[in-house]
Amino acid sequence: MHLILFFNGWGMDSNIVENLICDDCFEVHCLNYPYIVNNLDFSKYKKIYAIGWSFGVYYASKFLLENNELNCSSIAINGVPYIIGKYGISSKMFRFTLETLSLDNLKKFYTNMELPLEYFYKTPNLNKLKTELENILYSSPNTHYTFDKVFLGEYDRIIPYSKQLKFYEKEASTIITLQCSHYPFNVIKSWRDIIGKENEF
């Protein structure tokens, strides 16, 4: 059995990946804020894949640095380990999002992601979303993990493709460009699409 640890995007839940086709050999754990990995016996898995999407890339990088001995295969999707800054979202825009967060503005954010609004099926907890933004704002990392493989959406309007590309071009990562926006699961249909063939990694 192989383990997939999926570090989800900001304000998302497991519904975001529930339609991805999953091979029988994979056990998937979808991690949402505060991204706590508990009660897992890592020794029982043949391979561990740490996959981060969007803001989850920041948390995946943090986990990988703290658990380097696990020798995980690592994949980033539409995100960088530094959410705020020249390779991510500008500090001005990030603070503006935090200070003006409302249901209407959140819907605009989802629209810019090209997230199907069917995911906006329940009223989000705005206080929880603000807490997560504040945690990121005041916990900027000074180092990061180098991902094995990265997927970048060419039409990403949340974290521009050009910024992400500049960051990962100086890394030892395999870069794959997707014809998608920040929300990638309209072109990614299965976990195997992300991980690749059995003999990769």
Side-chain angles (χ1 to χ4, degrees):
M1 183 66 70
H2 304 294
L3 174 65
I4 294 174
L5 294 175
F6 178 68
F7 295 80
N8 211 345
W10 174 61
M12 299 291 112
D13 61 25
S14 60
N15 288 305
I16 205 74
V17 290
E18 69 175 2
N19 291 325
L20 290 187
I21 298 168
C22 186
D23 294 4
D24 291 340
C25 63
F26 294 131
E27 180 178 316
V28 179
H29 285 255
C30 183
L31 302 165
N32 310 309
Y33 183 79
Y35 302 90
I36 297 173
V37 182
N38 278 336
N39 303 318
L40 281 177
D41 179 8
F42 294 116
S43 65
K44 73 177 186 179
Y45 300 103
K46 292 174 63 176
K47 190 77 177 176
I48 301 172
Y49 299 91
I51 302 172
W53 167 52
S54 187
F55 285 22
V57 174
Y58 161 83
Y59 291 100
S61 175
K62 187 173 183 289
F63 171 83
L64 289 161
L65 287 173
E66 294 172 353
N67 297 275
N68 194 50
E69 74 283 356
L70 294 178
N71 195 30
C72 300
S73 293
S74 55
I75 303 169
I77 306 171
N78 286 349
V80 293
Y82 305 97
I83 296 172
I84 304 171
K86 64 179 181 178
Y87 299 115
I89 300 171
S90 71
S91 178
K92 181 179 179 181
M93 179 56 67
F94 193 92
R95 289 177 181 274
F96 177 80
T97 301
L98 174 59
E99 292 166 2
T100 63
L101 188 61
S102 66
L103 288 179
D104 285 342
N105 286 340
L106 189 60
K107 284 185 179 180
K108 290 177 183 177
F109 178 81
Y110 286 166
T111 299
N112 285 334
M113 286 175 60
E114 296 190 20
L115 177 73
L117 286 182
E118 64 200 58
Y119 291 106
F120 204 80
Y121 66 94
K122 60 182 180 182
T123 302
N125 185 328
L126 293 181
N127 287 331
K128 183 178 178 181
L129 294 178
K130 287 181 179 179
T131 297
E132 183 175 356
L133 292 179
E134 289 170 344
N135 180 65
I136 292 170
L137 182 62
Y138 300 116
S139 305
S140 297
N142 52 24
T143 187
H144 68 277
Y145 192 89
T146 297
F147 286 85
D148 297 313
K149 181 163 64 172
V150 298
F151 292 90
L152 306 181
E154 190 170 4
Y155 311 117
D156 196 328
R157 296 168 63 189
I158 305 300
I159 308 174
Y161 173 80
S162 59
K163 286 188 173 185
Q164 296 186 66
L165 187 62
K166 284 181 182 178
F167 177 81
Y168 286 115
E169 280 180 337
K170 61 185 180 61
E171 300 281 296
S173 307
T174 299
I175 301 171
I176 299 169
T177 297
L178 299 175
Q179 301 299 304
C180 69
S181 58
H182 192 67
Y183 171 78
F185 302 114
N186 52 348
V187 295
I188 294 174
K189 303 295 186 180
S190 71
W191 291 107
R192 184 63 72 185
D193 286 346
I194 300 170
I195 290 169
K197 296 179 180 178
E198 191 93 35
N199 60 358
E200 287 191 24
F201 300 125

